[in-house]
Amino acid sequence: MIRFAHLSDIHFGGENQAAVAAAGDYVNAGGFDLTIVSGDLTRFGEKVEFEAAAEWLSGLKGPQLVTPGNHDAPYIAVAERLFVPFRRFERAIGPAWAQSYVGGGFAVRGVNTARGPQPRLNWSKGQIAAGQVREATRFFQQAPAECFRIMVCHHPLIEMIGGPMTAKVWGGEAAARALAEAKVDLVLSGHIHAPFTWPYPFGDGKTYAVGAGTLSVRERGVPPGFNVVEIEGAAIRVAALVWGGSKYEPYRTWSLDRRPI
């Protein structure tokens, strides 16, 4: 069995401190093959927030893959946001544009769908370039055939039906179609602060979007939480856990059919 912890939208500087501490303990006790964080580590992209995020990540056991979100570009330092929006992320956390991990029967590609400035008023929304999609599909094509394939990005590429907010990712539908045709198994994201799963309406219908909640105080109808993803045989199990004030408890669970290898 392969097990992942999928966390997102921790928003250091506005985090739920008890939930974040308990999530760290849960990850360290869980024996996960990989811990994935799909963006928005900080609230305003401040240096002190990145320092807190880096310290917390350093306390987690096992390998990690961390991609940035829109809140990880500085909100107040306008010049940095315009010209080097993810310099702080890269100095504190790691590569911003793309990340990858292969091992233990799975291949994971992280892609940055956040931007600094954009030619639209709401800079929090997402973008994914055709070149990013080509690089990702090439990465998955080069992975061993038996690998379980996971894409990680901050913004859901296609809108969650009935979600509490929108992502409006430029290039998102074309990217989702390409990933489905490349037989990617899961596309993990955050941004909307609510957990969900649903299949992309492309290819064989077995590429699934999976969203994690938030560990911040910015709740949108769901308590702070994160996902545990397990792959065993032909089954993909996703459990959304939420913070009950003293421990993490099940909120929603999904069982998804994995495409034949």
Side-chain angles (χ1 to χ4, degrees):
M1 182 170 65
I2 302 171
R3 301 182 75 236
F4 304 101
H6 173 209
L7 306 96
S8 196
D9 297 79
I10 304 172
H11 289 295
F12 279 97
E15 77 276 22
N16 184 311
Q17 295 182 357
V20 170
D25 292 339
Y26 194 104
V27 169
N28 285 339
F32 293 102
D33 295 286
L34 183 67
T35 296
I36 296 167
V37 183
S38 55
D40 276 5
L41 277 77
T42 66
R43 178 176 54 175
F44 295 130
E46 293 295 298
K47 293 178 182 178
V48 66
E49 296 169 358
F50 278 118
E51 290 169 0
E55 181 178 2
W56 184 77
L57 289 170
S58 71
L60 301 183
K61 297 178 181 177
Q64 305 169 11
L65 186 144
V66 184
T67 195
N70 53 283
H71 276 266
D72 297 321
Y75 270 47
I76 299 171
V78 177
E80 283 192 60
R81 185 179 184 93
L82 291 174
F83 299 108
V84 285
F86 298 104
R87 183 171 63 184
R88 295 183 182 186
F89 179 95
E90 292 189 324
R91 287 178 172 176
I93 308 300
W97 188 245
Q99 312 82 30
S100 59
Y101 185 92
V102 179
F106 56 93
V108 186
R109 180 73 171 184
V111 171
N112 188 2
T113 55
R115 299 292 186 267
Q118 297 187 52
R120 55 176 163 176
L121 291 176
N122 192 337
W123 291 357
S124 74
K125 304 305 181 184
Q127 293 187 38
I128 185 165
Q132 290 178 291
V133 179
R134 285 193 298 270
E135 291 172 3
T137 55
R138 189 179 305 118
F139 166 79
F140 289 119
Q141 289 167 356
Q142 294 172 349
E146 68 276 9
C147 275
F148 189 82
R149 289 160 163 77
I150 298 177
M151 176 87 156
V152 182
C153 51
H154 179 63
H155 299 82
L157 298 178
I158 299 179
E159 299 298 336
M160 173 192 173
I161 299 172
M165 67 178 296
T166 63
K168 295 185 178 178
V169 179
W170 286 351
E173 183 171 336
R177 184 184 296 275
L179 293 170
E181 291 173 351
K183 299 189 183 302
V184 173
D185 295 291
L186 298 180
V187 181
L188 307 186
S189 63
H191 188 62
I192 64 172
H193 293 201
F196 68 88
T197 71
W198 68 285
Y200 282 159
F202 308 118
D204 59 7
K206 287 185 168 56
T207 295
Y208 301 96
V210 177
T214 182
L215 289 176
S216 76
V217 298
R218 298 182 65 195
E219 300 173 20
R220 296 194 179 105
V222 181
F226 62 94
N227 292 344
V228 173
V229 181
E230 298 178 339
I231 299 94
E232 187 172 20
I236 304 168
R237 293 185 291 271
V238 180
L241 307 179
V242 295
W243 177 240
S246 61
K247 63 179 180 179
Y248 278 97
E249 304 167 343
Y251 174 72
R252 290 283 309 274
T253 58
W254 296 270
S255 182
L256 313 173
D257 294 329
R258 182 181 179 182
R259 66 170 53 86
I261 299 175

